[in-house]
């Protein structure tokens, strides 16, 4: 019974998400790697901080790794319908964040 | 003294005087360390070889002097206008002829002369400079012995397979490493010894030609889709392979494993003279493997983290790298777009920590754009050239490109005239299987040449700053070849030119040597039996680091009748000229200054010479008649008592002889 309801709910959500997704709007399929530079070193992998980050960005946030003392990289799964641009703007609006950018890939040359 | 001897002596004195008047006033030598200890040392033993090392400065006596064309020399010369004068006559006509003897002719204008006595390299340099000032002389240089370069026993090394390391005389695009390796720093061959180069790439393989030069690295790849059996960051920087068999992955070509990091590491520091494979450009350097690229590349965040860590800076969640802090970071990788804030921050931080960052410009064939991080401020961006020194079509150039290094050209079915870069690899197409060597091309393989040379420069001058190092690399670069197929000829977007390891080291070593001047307080010829003051001035080289000081000075007599130098370890010394006749009338003193770097153990020396010629010795005039006894004062005058005692003694001897009827000499 529960399984059936869940499947229906997921299906409805999926349909809704697809219908709402223009190119810039993220889908549930691909979380984004985002690099955040903070104004000071700190415990930016703490659960409490991640919750706050999640609240501010309206996205699922998972800590990946440190880049340096003040720079860290996160996996960010935007809420359905939220564009990448809006997501980055929301993260960048946080007072402790001094820079935000998408974590690009480099290749051997 | 016969008339002939007198005339000869006068002529010799005139010749010597003319030399020494010039010499004592202004001779300043090139740094001896650059020429001796720190420069090429023919016959030097290569590590592992059996050739004897050159431990002490050799003396030499052969000079090559090329005279200008007589017609061009103009009036006023003493050279016969009737055809070419003989070398003997021309050398005899020189102002320093008293120090030289004609040996043989090389050409009509070029002759070999011998110095009257063997001289050190510093003295020979001084002499050649004096000669070069003569309007009749086109140039003068030491006639040095040539030695075969040290024997490299790495079986796959030869000038064709490793054109990239050769002198420009062999390959216009060669990075001139083979000459650079003949230099020494502090008595140690220039090889990158003592320097750690971080290779941020796909990781390393324990290749037999590399393992001796690896130090423990770190794996920064945080991508869980990687082939790493233990995903995430950890202390295992080995390369699990970066193959991709899935054509559906966006921006990730289907490919076999490339062993890219192992290739780059081999270019940098494959072991030398180990009877195995090839030789790395900085064969004495250690490689810190930092794995930042996995299958389908690597994230900027991981690369930046690897940069911080390699330079000894803290990265949360990773043990600090305190054991093998790198001075050179090689990034044979790139991403499109402007320099990201993350890259720029990392570059700025590691450069501030004293490390240089070398990055490849990319293989997109762009003429106006280079990839990041090569386009970040503070990065030494390296494009590629072929064995002929021209820019291949794949190599990105554009604003920010610092210089070019060997990168070879692409090939389809095999190396084209050896025009690719030969490096360590592996036979595995997915996971590693067996050691191998392979050709490849790309700016990826150009950057490690520069990284290796940077390591050589750090060895030559451990306190060199990143700014200074970059300046020396670009200042010493050779011009791109001209011609129809040389796009980079005259284009600043291609950087300063072709990497030249030997020239770069020469520049650094010349910079760091102290500057010396020396003089005597009496003009030549100097009278006999008088005191002469020698004054030396020593200052650290213009390119020396802050805090470099002159650690010692020393005066040494290197020629002429021996005299006692007082204050020989101070800038102002003195001696007294011989009062008696001497075999030689020329005294030569060397003022040597040694500068010490406050941090490193590297010392540099520089010499200046002072020539002091003695006035001709003349026979002392007859002694004046003894003054009449004055009865007082005046040393040497007998007192009355002494005179009486002497008379009594003489009388006693006379009486004894009379009594014995013999003399002391007759006794047996």
């Amino acid at each position: 019974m529960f399984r059936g309801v869940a499947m229906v709910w997921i299906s409805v959500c999926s349909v809704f998400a697809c219908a709402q997704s223009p190119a810039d709007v993220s889908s549930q399929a691909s979380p984004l790697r985002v690099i955040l530079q903070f104004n000071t070193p700190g415990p930016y992998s703490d659960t409490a901080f991640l919750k706050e980050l999640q609240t501010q960005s309206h996205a699922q946030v998972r800590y990946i790794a440190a880049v340096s003392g003040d720079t860290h990289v996160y996996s960010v799964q935007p809420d359905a319908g939220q564009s990448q641009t809006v997501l980055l703007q929301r993260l960048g609006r946080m007072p402790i964040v001094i820079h935000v950018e998408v974590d690009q890939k480099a290749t051997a040359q | 003294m016969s008339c002939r001897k007198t005339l000869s002596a006068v002529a010799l004195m005139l010749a010597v005087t003319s030399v020494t008047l010039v010499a004592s006033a202004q001779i300043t030598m090139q740094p001896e360390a650059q020429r001796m200890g720190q420069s090429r040392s023919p016959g030097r033993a290569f590590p592992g070889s059996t050739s004897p090392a050159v431990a002490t400065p050799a003396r030499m006596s052969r000079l090559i002097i090329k005279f200008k064309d007589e017609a061009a020399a103009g009036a006023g010369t003493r050279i016969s206008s009737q055809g070419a004068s003989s070398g003997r006559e021309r050398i005899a006509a020189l102002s320093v002829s008293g120090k030289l003897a004609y040996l043989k002719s090389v050409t009509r204008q070029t002759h070999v002369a011998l110095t009257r006595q063997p001289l050190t390299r510093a003295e020979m340099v001084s002499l050649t400079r004096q000669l070069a000032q003569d309007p009749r002389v086109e140039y003068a240089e030491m006639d040095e012995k040539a030695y075969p370069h040290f024997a490299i026993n790495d079986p796959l090394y030869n000038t064709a397979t490793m054109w990239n390391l050769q002198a420009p005389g062999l390959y216009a695009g060669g990075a001139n490493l083979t000459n650079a390796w003949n230099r020494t720093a502090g008595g140690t061959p220039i090889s990158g010894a003592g320097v750690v180069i971080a290779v941020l790439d796909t990781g390393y393989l324990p290749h037999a030609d590399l393992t001796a030069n690896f130090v423990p690295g770190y794996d920064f790849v945080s991508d869980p889709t990687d082939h790493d059996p233990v995903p995430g960051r950890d202390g295992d920087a080995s390369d699990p392979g970066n193959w991709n068999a899935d054509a559906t992955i966006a921006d990730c070509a289907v490919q076999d494993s490339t062993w890219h990091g192992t290739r780059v590491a081999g270019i940098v520091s494959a072991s030398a003279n180990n009877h195995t494979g090839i030789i790395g450009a900085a064969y004495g350097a250690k490689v810190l493997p930092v794995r930042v690229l996995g299958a389908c590349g690597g994230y900027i965040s991981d690369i930046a983290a690897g940069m911080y860590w390699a330079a000894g800076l803290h990265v949360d969640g990773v043990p600090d790298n305190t054991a093998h802090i790198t001075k050179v970071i090689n990034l044979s990788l790139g991403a499109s777009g402007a320099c990201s804030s993350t890259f720029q921050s990392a570059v700025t931080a590691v450069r501030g920590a004293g490390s240089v960052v070398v990055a490849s410009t990319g293989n997109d064939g762009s003429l106006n754009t280079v990839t990041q991080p090569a386009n970040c401020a503070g990065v030494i961006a390296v494009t590629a050239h072929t064995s002929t020194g021209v820019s291949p079509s794949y190599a990105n150039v554009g604003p920010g490109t610092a210089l070019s290094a060997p990168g070879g050209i692409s090939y389809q079915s095999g190396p084209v005239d050896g025009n690719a870069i030969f490096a360590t690899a592996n036979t595995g197409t997915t996971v590693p299987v067996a050691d191998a060597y392979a050709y490849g091309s790309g700016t990826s393989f150009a950057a490690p040449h520069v990284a290796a040379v940077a390591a050589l420069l750090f060895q030559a001058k451990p306190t060199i700053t990143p700014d200074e190092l970059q300046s020396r690399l670009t200042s010493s670069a050779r011009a791109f070849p001209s011609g129809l197929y040389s796009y980079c000829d005259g284009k600043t977007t291609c950087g300063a030119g072709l990497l030249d390891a030997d020239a770069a080291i020469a520049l650094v070593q010349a910079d760091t040597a102290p500057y010396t001047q020396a003089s005597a307080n009496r003009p030549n010829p100097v009278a006999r039996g008088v005191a002469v003051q020698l004054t030396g001035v020593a200052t650290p080289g213009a390119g020396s680091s802050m805090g470099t000081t002159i650690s010692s000075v020393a005066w040494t007599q290197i020629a002429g009748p021996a005299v006692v130098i007082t204050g020989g370890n101070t800038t102002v010394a003195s001696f007294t000229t011989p009062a008696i006749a001497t075999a030689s009338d020329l005294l030569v003193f060397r003022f040597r200054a040694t500068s010490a770097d406050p941090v490193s153990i590297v010392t540099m020396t520089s010499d200046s010479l002072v020539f002091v010629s003695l006035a001709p010795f003349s026979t002392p005039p007859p002694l004046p008649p003894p003054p009449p006894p004055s009865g007082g004062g005046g040393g040497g005058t007998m007192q009355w008592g002494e005179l009486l005692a002497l008379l009594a003694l003489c009388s006693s001897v006379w009486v004894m002889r009379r009594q014995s009827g013999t003399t002391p000499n007759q006794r047996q």
Side-chain angles (χ1 to χ4, degrees):
Chain A
M1 176 64 184
F2 175 76
R3 188 178 175 188
V5 171
M7 288 298 288
V8 170
W9 175 246
I10 290 169
S11 301
V12 169
C13 288
S14 299
V15 169
F16 180 77
C18 288
Q20 295 292 314
S21 296
D24 185 40
V25 176
S26 56
S27 68
Q28 296 291 322
S30 54
L32 197 61
R33 281 178 67 121
V34 176
I35 302 171
L36 297 180
Q37 185 182 7
F38 301 100
N39 57 8
T40 179
Y44 299 114
S45 60
D46 282 4
T47 307
F49 177 74
L50 293 177
K51 265 189 177 172
E52 178 63 21
L53 208 56
Q54 200 159 301
T55 304
Q56 295 290 330
S57 63
H58 298 202
Q60 299 294 317
V61 178
R62 183 175 61 82
Y63 183 80
I64 296 178
V67 176
S68 67
D70 66 357
T71 306
H72 300 261
V73 61
Y74 300 87
S75 170
V76 182
Q77 179 77 67
D79 286 348
Q82 181 179 205
S83 73
Q84 182 177 309
T85 307
V86 170
L87 172 68
L88 296 177
Q89 283 173 348
R90 283 179 172 158
L91 289 167
R93 254 186 242 129
M94 295 172 69
I96 57 168
V97 174
I98 59 174
H99 190 79
V100 56
E101 64 186 7
V102 174
D103 193 8
Q104 285 181 265
K105 265 200 163 179
T107 56
Q109 295 179 326
Chain B
M1 188 182 287
S2 69
C3 181
R4 186 177 170 185
K5 280 186 176 177
T6 305
L7 287 173
S8 299
V10 169
L12 178 64
M13 184 51 61
L14 284 172
V16 169
T17 301
S18 62
V19 173
T20 51
L21 280 173
V22 175
S24 64
Q26 61 184 18
I27 290 178
T28 298
M29 310 301 298
Q30 282 294 308
E32 183 170 342
Q34 180 191 345
R35 298 181 309 277
M36 305 289 260
Q38 305 236 2
S39 65
R40 296 164 207 280
S41 51
R44 174 183 64 73
F46 195 78
S49 75
T50 55
S51 305
V54 175
T56 54
R59 289 182 176 267
M60 53 195 75
S61 60
R62 290 166 68 120
L63 284 169
I64 300 172
I65 304 169
K66 183 177 183 186
F67 291 90
K68 291 175 182 169
D69 184 78
E70 290 168 15
T77 66
R78 294 167 54 197
I79 300 170
S80 165
S81 59
Q82 297 174 350
S85 303
S86 73
R88 195 182 306 274
E89 289 171 339
R90 293 181 128 190
I91 288 170
L94 294 170
S95 61
V96 295
S97 60
K99 298 168 73 176
L100 297 176
Y102 169 82
L103 178 64
K104 63 179 180 179
S105 295
V106 179
T107 66
R108 190 162 160 265
Q109 308 286 1
T110 308
H111 309 281
V112 180
L114 284 175
T115 57
R116 299 284 181 195
Q117 57 183 326
L119 301 176
T120 66
R121 183 176 288 267
E123 293 154 9
M124 287 292 267
V125 169
S126 171
L127 188 55
T128 57
R129 287 185 172 182
Q130 282 180 253
L131 287 165
Q133 291 172 356
D134 191 307
R136 296 162 292 186
V137 172
E138 184 172 326
Y139 67 79
E141 63 187 10
M142 290 175 280
D143 187 12
E144 295 191 80
K145 277 190 175 178
Y147 294 86
H149 281 154
F150 47 77
I152 297 171
N153 66 27
D154 301 72
L156 297 179
Y157 169 86
N158 61 61
T159 55
T161 55
M162 306 205 78
W163 62 269
N164 46 314
L165 307 178
Q166 305 304 315
L170 278 176
Y171 287 93
N176 210 3
L177 268 307
T178 52
N179 280 321
W181 295 330
N182 281 327
R183 294 179 178 274
T184 60
T188 304
I190 290 280
S191 65
V195 182
V196 176
I197 304 171
V199 173
L200 275 66
D201 216 290
T202 60
Y204 79 99
L205 290 178
H207 195 291
D209 212 2
L210 280 171
T211 47
N213 282 340
F214 278 129
V215 293
Y218 208 82
D219 175 12
F220 278 86
V221 175
S222 61
D223 188 348
T225 64
D226 185 45
H227 294 309
D228 188 354
V230 184
R233 295 180 176 180
D234 55 58
D236 179 9
S238 64
D239 187 347
N242 63 341
W243 77 95
N244 175 35
D246 185 352
T248 64
I249 300 175
D251 301 323
C252 187
V254 173
Q255 66 170 20
D256 290 341
S257 292
T258 60
W259 316 116
H260 195 265
T262 298
R263 290 177 179 224
V264 169
I267 294 166
V268 168
S269 189
S271 298
N273 270 24
N274 59 343
H275 296 279
T276 303
I278 59 170
I279 180 170
Y283 62 86
K286 296 297 181 189
V287 169
L288 178 71
V290 183
R291 186 167 179 267
V292 296
L293 300 177
C296 308
Y299 284 101
I300 285 175
S301 57
D302 292 340
I303 299 165
M307 292 168 67
Y308 284 106
W309 180 82
L313 303 172
H314 177 71
V315 176
D316 284 351
V318 177
D320 286 343
N321 170 30
T322 55
H324 303 291
I325 295 173
T326 188
K327 299 299 287 182
V328 186
I329 294 175
N330 185 82
L331 298 167
S332 289
L333 49 82
S336 60
C339 177
S340 67
S341 176
T342 303
F343 261 149
Q344 188 58 68
S345 296
V347 170
T348 303
V350 302
R351 195 157 166 139
S355 301
V356 294
V357 181
V358 179
S360 50
T361 57
N363 303 331
D364 312 302
S366 173
L367 298 179
N368 53 23
T369 306
V370 301
T371 54
Q372 60 168 323
N375 58 7
C376 299
V379 171
I380 301 173
V382 182
T383 187
H385 61 253
T386 68
S387 63
T388 58
V390 301
S391 176
S393 59
Y394 67 77
N396 289 0
V397 296
T401 303
L403 76 166
S404 184
I409 55 174
S410 301
Y411 65 96
Q412 299 299 319
S413 56
V416 180
D417 297 326
N419 204 349
I421 307 299
F422 198 47
T424 43
N426 193 275
T427 59
T429 55
T430 55
V431 296
V433 176
D435 287 354
Y437 296 87
Y439 286 97
S441 59
T443 56
S444 265
F445 299 147
H449 286 87
V450 174
V453 174
L456 305 186
L457 298 185
F458 270 116
Q459 182 192 353
K461 185 185 177 187
T463 55
I464 195 169
T465 64
D467 285 346
E468 189 183 349
L469 187 144
Q470 182 164 353
S471 166
R472 299 300 174 262
L473 281 174
T474 53
S475 299
S476 59
R478 303 191 305 271
F480 287 102
S482 57
L484 185 62
Y485 299 104
S486 183
Y487 169 81
C488 284
D489 180 24
K491 290 191 176 63
T492 57
T493 48
C494 292
L498 311 175
L499 172 69
D500 192 313
D502 191 51
I505 295 166
L507 210 53
V508 168
Q509 292 188 324
D511 273 357
T512 56
Y515 176 73
T516 55
Q517 281 183 303
S519 60
N521 70 333
R522 291 180 183 273
N524 288 317
V526 180
R528 290 170 183 270
V530 300
V532 178
Q533 182 175 293
L534 301 169
T535 302
V537 177
T539 50
S544 298
S545 301
M546 288 287 288
T548 298
T549 56
I550 300 297
S551 58
S552 66
V553 295
W555 285 97
T556 308
Q557 185 182 1
I558 58 174
V563 296
V564 176
I565 300 175
T566 304
N569 293 319
T570 60
T571 53
V572 180
S574 62
F575 70 96
T576 300
T577 56
I580 58 173
T582 49
S584 167
D585 293 339
L586 180 64
L587 293 88
V588 184
F589 299 90
R590 180 185 68 203
F591 175 68
R592 170 170 290 179
T594 302
S595 65
D597 190 279
V599 178
S600 72
I601 58 169
V602 172
T603 58
M604 297 285 287
T605 60
S606 185
D607 294 346
S608 289
L609 299 183
V610 175
F611 292 76
V612 175
S613 63
L614 299 175
F617 178 75
S618 56
T619 307
L623 291 173
S630 61
T637 304
M638 276 190 178
Q639 301 295 320
W640 280 111
E642 291 169 343
L643 189 59
L644 286 173
L646 184 61
L647 284 171
L649 181 65
C650 291
S651 301
S652 302
V653 171
W654 182 79
V655 169
M656 286 173 68
R657 284 182 181 176
R658 294 285 294 178
Q659 287 175 345
S660 64
T662 182
T663 65
N665 286 343
Q666 291 173 313
R667 292 174 189 163
Q668 298 297 316

